[in-house]
Amino acid sequence: MKANNNLQPYLDTCAACGLTLPPLDSGSMAPAFALTALPSQWRELARAAKLAKMRWCGFWVQEIDTGLEAFSCMELGGSYLIIRTKTGTNEPIPSIASIFPSADRPERHAHDLLGIQFENQPDNRRWTRHKAWNKTDFPLRADFRFIPSANPIPGDHDYPFVPGYGPGVVEIPVGPIHAGIIEPGHFRF
């Protein structure tokens, strides 16, 4: 099925880049169009979206019988395109964070929770619950077994935060209680 006119710039950009696309699926993710890609095509399809001036909207991963399935949502003119790919639990897909910087933290989050691997991810630091589970445990996988501990989770005093430097840079620690129920943090101005 052919995409609506709003997605035509993306299809034209893919053609200009020499990308051969499978047919767009208009039913499984309606009202969005879906495009199933090989992991090797993931980055190039994202690059074509950027060239077509599409907006990156979201990213999520789910566990499937054969490994993991990743989804990236793009928008142009009110029309949505979901690019999806399947990979094994130990087989990486290319990171798109250098193309769409806002994909950095969702990629890191998906790695921490499901173990999906990314090639050329610009920031490999853990993002979610640094010391709550081991680096090889992924709590959203079906085989994860939670074993409660009587001891509190240790603080991550060795986390490699990116420091802020320069004239006028001020870092203000807030916490341990901040505005009621949200976590403490360091604000940089």
Side-chain angles (χ1 to χ4, degrees):
M1 171 159 205
K2 189 172 177 168
N4 65 14
N5 289 338
N6 288 343
L7 294 180
Q8 194 60 48
Y10 176 70
L11 300 176
D12 294 342
T13 301
C14 287
C17 292
L19 298 172
T20 304
L21 299 180
L24 291 178
D25 173 3
S26 63
S28 65
M29 302 288 249
F33 289 87
L35 175 63
T36 301
L38 296 172
S40 60
Q41 298 170 308
W42 183 258
R43 184 173 171 80
E44 292 310 311
L45 292 172
R47 186 185 318 280
K50 182 74 167 192
L51 290 172
K53 302 194 182 322
M54 295 186 85
R55 178 175 66 94
W56 181 85
C57 302
F59 173 76
W60 64 98
V61 177
Q62 68 180 4
E63 185 176 27
I64 56 176
D65 290 340
T66 58
L68 300 168
E69 187 173 23
F71 301 82
S72 198
C73 180
M74 312 289 182
E75 182 270 341
L76 184 64
S79 294
Y80 291 87
L81 174 68
I82 307 292
I83 302 171
R84 63 181 169 204
T85 193
K86 295 177 182 176
T87 186
T89 54
N90 294 316
E91 299 167 15
I93 64 171
S95 171
I96 63 169
S98 63
I99 298 167
F100 292 101
S102 54
D104 175 72
R105 288 183 180 159
E107 285 182 356
R108 289 167 59 196
H109 187 63
H111 172 265
D112 290 350
L113 295 176
L114 283 156
I116 189 167
Q117 305 290 321
F118 293 95
E119 290 176 347
N120 300 316
Q121 214 298 336
D123 188 350
N124 286 318
R125 295 174 300 152
R126 296 181 77 187
W127 178 249
T128 310
R129 302 284 292 173
H130 313 296
K131 298 246 179 163
W133 51 80
N134 295 323
K135 290 182 180 182
T136 57
D137 291 333
F138 305 107
L140 292 186
R141 282 199 189 167
D143 63 356
F144 179 77
R145 297 293 172 250
F146 175 69
I147 301 170
S149 172
N151 300 321
I153 297 168
D156 194 352
H157 302 291
D158 299 324
Y159 186 78
F161 286 102
V162 177
Y165 298 106
V169 174
V170 177
E171 186 171 295
I172 301 171
V174 178
I177 305 298
H178 170 234
I181 61 170
I182 65 174
E183 70 278 357
H186 286 220
F187 294 89
R188 292 186 184 153
F189 301 97

